[in-house]
Amino acid sequence: MELASDFLWGGSIAAHQCEGSWQVGNKGPGIMDLVTKGSRDCERQITSEIQPELNYPSHEGIDFYNQYETDIQLFKEMGFTALRLSIDWARIFPNGDEEVPNRKGLAFYEKVIDTLLANGIEPIVTLYHFEMPKYLVDHYGAWGNRRVIDLYLHYCETVMRFFNGKVHYWVTFNEMNHLDPKSEQSDIFTYMIAGVKYSDMALPVQELAQIGYNMTLASVKAVALGHELNPKNRIGCVFGFNPIYAYDCRPENILKAFLENDRDYYQSDAMCFGNFPKYKIKEYETWNIQLKREIADEAAFANGKLDFIGLNYYLSSVSKSEFERKETESLFGGVQNPYLEQSKWGWGIDPMGIRYVMNYLYRRYQLPILITENGLGAVDCLEADGSIHDEYRMSYLAKHIEQVKKAVTEDYVECLGYLSWAPIDLISASTGEMSKRYGFIYVDLDDWGKGSFKRLKKDSFYWYQRVIASNGEILDPLVKKVTLPY
Ligand code: BGP
């Protein structure tokens, strides 16, 4: 069995990580414009105002705002049939709460989307990839406030109407599932996803739980809205599902790992099953958290079921044991898996994990899955002749795509396509670094924003071109290395 002939191939990017031009075209500041550069060992900070002496990587991005035509040509050259990109809310509504949209913002995305369509590339549009207008944080308290749901829906309706018939695939949110109060409370990622608060303030569990609820409600309402506007719209939500394995087969450890994993699934349960899970409400009650809900919410959950699930997959981790206390800590609070290699940033490389999660999701929800992100962040070496030999990236991706194929052809998982993160080097979300590179296209830019912004093709560029042309049949990096035309 082979992948379907209409299997989507391409990549994913996000506005705040690539566009730059953060004040051009009447764009308002967004929360991500206030996030400083960090590194693996130094967490990014969210400042309440811009501090001129600090480095804010989103301000320049990789200059996609001005170079999108060049970049889309390169995507086309690789054979892309799809590109997932996000719209930055603050380009459309600079404060987030205006009635009338900013024409310049719409015009920018219209040019990008028209260029994609003219090149035979299906745009898959994420409506919220951590891009919360700052004004809504300062004046409304962001997702903690239900009024923000209505403002988000007004923004969704505006862009869904504007691009009606041009965009068929919509994503309501990126990775809201790392918001559970018990799991990653103090992590910078939580703040970015929630689009709230400035670094020195810890989010209380009550607030985090309410934010998770409100965002889930916003998503189901956006799905219903999109279906109403055009029944042909296919609307999904993207989740980052990194499996947590049990430390060993002691039943206590199996149960512990299951429960830790399960914290990531309550929003997807709500969006696929049509009701906010009772198990979550009960769990919150035992922590004295009373979610603010309204009667009409029940109908909203019932009417806003997803059409597909977007899966971001990078790594797996291992849950700590209930018994041992001497394990080596890994980045995400678990322990290092002795059977897996780790990336330079401590992410456990586990190709089989993607097949495991695809199966788990498909059997739990029986909805098509779109791989919306998968890739290796690595330090690349630019040779004197302008070449970049990134065998490690090809090898990582080949092993993962192989497992995606097995999930489809041997386990019968419905999969709409595979989108790598990211087809072009861009700013890392977790660290703000440029040197954590994912692309097939190298961008000449360093961690301090210095460089020519020139685009260069890495070896993996030609490799992915062959993968796509063969519909995933030719994956071996070594074969292609010998025959590639450079
Ligand atoms: C996902 C985010 C992306 C992207 C990716 C890689 O969680 O959706 O925005 O950044 O992770 O992570 P990083 O950039 O931190 O290496």
Side-chain angles (χ1 to χ4, degrees), residues 68-111:
Y68 68 89
E69 281 177 295
T70 311
D71 296 341
I72 291 172
Q73 278 313 314
L74 289 165
F75 298 153
K76 186 195 177 180
E77 202 180 319
M78 275 188 278
F80 279 26
T81 52
L83 181 79
R84 170 175 168 244
L85 71 162
S86 70
I87 290 185
D88 191 323
W89 186 349
R91 278 202 194 282
I92 309 301
F93 293 102
N95 285 343
D97 68 348
E98 297 90 337
E99 191 53 41
V100 180
N102 168 30
R103 286 272 135 203
K104 287 188 176 167
L106 287 171
F108 166 66
Y109 290 111
E110 187 175 29
K111 285 187 294 183

Side-chain angles (χ1 to χ4, degrees), residues 128-143:
Y128 185 88
H129 196 125
F130 318 151
E131 286 126 358
M132 164 68 71
K134 178 180 188 302
Y135 186 88
L136 296 185
V137 181
D138 293 340
H139 295 87
Y140 289 77
W143 290 112

Side-chain angles (χ1 to χ4, degrees), residues 17 129 174-175 189 314 347 373 421 428-430 436 438:
Q17 289 169 269
H129 196 125
N174 181 67
E175 289 193 4
F189 229 71
Y314 291 90
W347 295 17
E373 292 182 26
W421 182 273
S428 155
S430 58
K436 190 181 187 188
Y438 284 87

